[in-house]
């Protein structure tokens, strides 16, 4: 008997993969968490039936939310990761010796524990001496912060459910307030390909575009994401992701990557026409 895992990308499209075994299944106060082993993608973690990351492609996401802003901002000392309880983004950030403090705000303690047990190669990022893990609501955490962070990475996964508050106008305003005068925020933008996802992409761009003087969108190919195509938002108080990009300086750091390159950095902001039209239409409104 074969066991398959299927994730609905739309009501008419789903991604299915053959499963070797299930390592964990549990329900936290926030969500259902499953860890499975697939033939093609290795171990992967699903939240409420949707793949969050897999061993085979997680590096793409973690590198793109980390190295894009880090190669633009000239002096990041203090970083806030919203979500990020798996440790993957923190692990990428710990390659930068100039960073002094990394705060990870993750509401789901079970999620952190599951990742520590089943994905220690990622969760080790939480053990760096510069990392502080707070198990609490991110919106509440942010309300007390002002002029504190050089970089905020919103690693929240879904504009629905328990993370819905992390995609509101208030949230973007609180991020703006929590950033220093030259701070950058990077966030997940979702996939623009299917009509069912397009509306949420547009809404997120609208909020960031109105909250920050510089707001751009960039892209990556992530196989387990809906349509294999994923967008990220780059919102900044001062630095432009291309005009203030310093590739030579970043290369001098000797950071090891498997997906991100300085050439890819520039290309990631060159979006397909249908995505450009979608974003520009929102900017005109």
């Amino acid at each position: 008997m074969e066991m398959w895992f299927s994730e609905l990308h739309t009501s008419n499209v789903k991604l299915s993969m053959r499963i070797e075994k299930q390592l964990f299944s549990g329900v936290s106060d926030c969500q259902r968490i499953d860890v499975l082993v697939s033939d093609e993608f290795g171990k992967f973690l699903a939240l409420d039936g949707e793949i969050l990351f897999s061993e085979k492609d997680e590096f793409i996401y973690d590198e793109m939310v980390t190295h894009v802003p880090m190669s633009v901002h000239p002096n990041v000392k203090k970083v806030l990761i919203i979500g990020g309880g798996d440790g993957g983004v923190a692990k990428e950030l710990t390659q930068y010796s100039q960073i002094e403090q990394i705060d990870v705000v993750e509401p789901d303690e079970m999620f952190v524990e599951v990742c520590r047990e089943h994905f220690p190669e990622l969760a080790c990022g939480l053990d760096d001496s510069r990392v502080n893990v707070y198990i609490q609501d991110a919106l509440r955490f942010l309300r007390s912060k002002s002029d504190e962070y050089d970089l905020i990475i919103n690693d929240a996964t879904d504009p629905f459910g328990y993370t819905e508050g992390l995609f509101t106008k208030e949230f973007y305003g609180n991020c703006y307030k929590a950033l220093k005068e030259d701070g950058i925020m990077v966030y997940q933008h979702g996939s623009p390909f299917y009509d069912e996802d397009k509306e949420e992409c547009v809404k997120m761009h609208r909020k960031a575009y109105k909250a920050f003087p510089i707001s751009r969108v960039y892209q990556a190919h992530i196989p387990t994401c809906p349509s294999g195509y994923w967008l990220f938002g780059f919102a900044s108080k001062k630095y432009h992701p291309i005009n203030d990009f310093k590739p030579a300086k970043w290369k001098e750091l000797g950071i090891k990557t498997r997906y991100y390159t300085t050439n890819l950095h520039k290309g990631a902001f060159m979006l397909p026409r249908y995505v450009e039209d979608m974003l520009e239409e929102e900017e005109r409104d």
Side-chain angles (χ1 to χ4, degrees):
M1 183 180 71
E2 292 185 345
M3 182 167 67
W4 288 74
F5 173 90
S6 294
E7 175 187 339
L8 285 175
H9 284 180
T10 76
S11 56
N12 299 309
V13 179
K14 65 181 178 180
L15 170 68
S16 296
M17 60 178 74
R18 183 183 288 109
I19 301 302
E20 294 178 7
K21 57 184 175 180
Q22 185 163 19
L23 300 178
F24 176 85
S25 183
V27 180
S28 71
D29 293 336
C30 301
Q31 58 205 337
R32 173 175 170 165
I33 304 171
D34 292 285
V35 179
L36 304 104
V37 181
S38 71
D39 293 299
E40 186 65 38
F41 288 93
K43 282 186 296 184
F44 68 93
L45 187 142
L47 299 179
D48 292 329
E50 297 184 356
I51 298 170
L52 181 64
F53 62 83
S54 77
E55 283 185 313
K56 193 166 185 177
D57 66 0
E58 60 78 22
F59 70 95
I60 303 171
Y61 171 88
D62 290 339
E63 289 184 13
M64 289 301 281
V65 295
T66 301
H67 304 308
V68 169
M70 287 299 298
S71 60
V72 173
H73 195 297
N75 191 31
V76 174
K77 298 291 187 183
K78 191 170 181 180
V79 184
L80 171 63
I81 305 172
I82 297 170
D86 57 275
V89 176
K91 182 181 178 182
E92 288 298 321
L93 286 167
T94 58
Q95 295 189 75
Y96 293 89
S97 60
Q98 74 268 30
I99 295 178
E100 298 172 354
Q101 182 175 331
I102 302 168
D103 292 342
V104 178
V105 182
E106 167 62 58
D108 192 342
E109 187 170 13
M110 180 187 286
F111 175 72
V112 177
E113 293 170 352
V114 169
C115 290
R116 283 191 181 279
E117 180 177 354
H118 295 287
F119 299 93
E121 68 281 0
L122 296 180
C124 65
L126 303 177
D127 297 327
D128 189 279
S129 61
R130 295 168 289 174
V131 176
N132 307 300
V133 180
Y134 300 91
I135 304 296
Q136 67 180 86
D137 176 77
L139 194 54
R140 189 175 298 117
F141 180 90
L142 271 171
R143 285 175 181 145
S144 63
K145 305 299 179 183
S146 181
D147 192 31
E148 191 162 333
Y149 295 100
D150 302 296
L151 172 62
I152 294 176
I153 298 176
N154 182 9
D155 197 20
T157 57
D158 195 342
F160 306 105
Y162 82 98
T163 58
E164 187 173 359
L166 303 183
F167 296 86
T168 63
K169 182 180 178 181
E170 178 192 4
F171 169 75
Y172 285 95
N174 283 332
C175 285
Y176 187 94
K177 180 172 67 73
L179 286 167
K180 294 179 181 177
E181 62 181 5
D182 62 347
I184 295 172
M185 178 178 77
V186 172
Y187 58 97
Q188 293 202 58
H189 224 299
S191 175
F193 186 76
Y194 296 120
D195 289 342
E196 294 180 16
D197 300 323
K198 179 180 176 181
E199 184 178 351
E200 291 306 317
C201 279
V202 169
K203 285 181 180 178
M204 278 187 272
H205 185 62
R206 180 191 311 151
K207 292 162 188 170
Y209 184 77
K210 291 181 178 180
F212 287 81
I214 297 171
S215 179
R216 296 293 183 271
V217 174
Y218 62 103
Q219 62 190 348
H221 168 245
I222 306 177
T224 53
C225 289
S227 78
Y229 181 49
W230 202 247
L231 298 181
F232 304 91
F234 181 104
S236 174
K237 290 186 173 183
K238 179 178 179 180
Y239 302 113
H240 189 282
I242 299 299
N243 299 341
D244 295 304
F245 173 47
K246 302 292 190 294
K249 185 177 180 181
W250 185 83
K251 287 180 180 178
E252 289 174 0
L253 298 174
I255 302 292
K256 293 182 179 180
T257 61
R258 294 170 59 198
Y259 187 85
Y260 177 85
T261 69
T262 53
N263 286 332
L264 182 75
H265 180 113
K266 297 174 183 176
F269 287 89
M270 299 176 186
L271 303 172
R273 169 57 65 187
Y274 78 95
V275 179
E276 283 188 346
D277 289 345
M278 178 187 78
L279 299 173
E280 289 172 1
E281 181 179 353
E282 189 58 38
E283 292 171 8
R284 286 194 295 267
D285 291 343

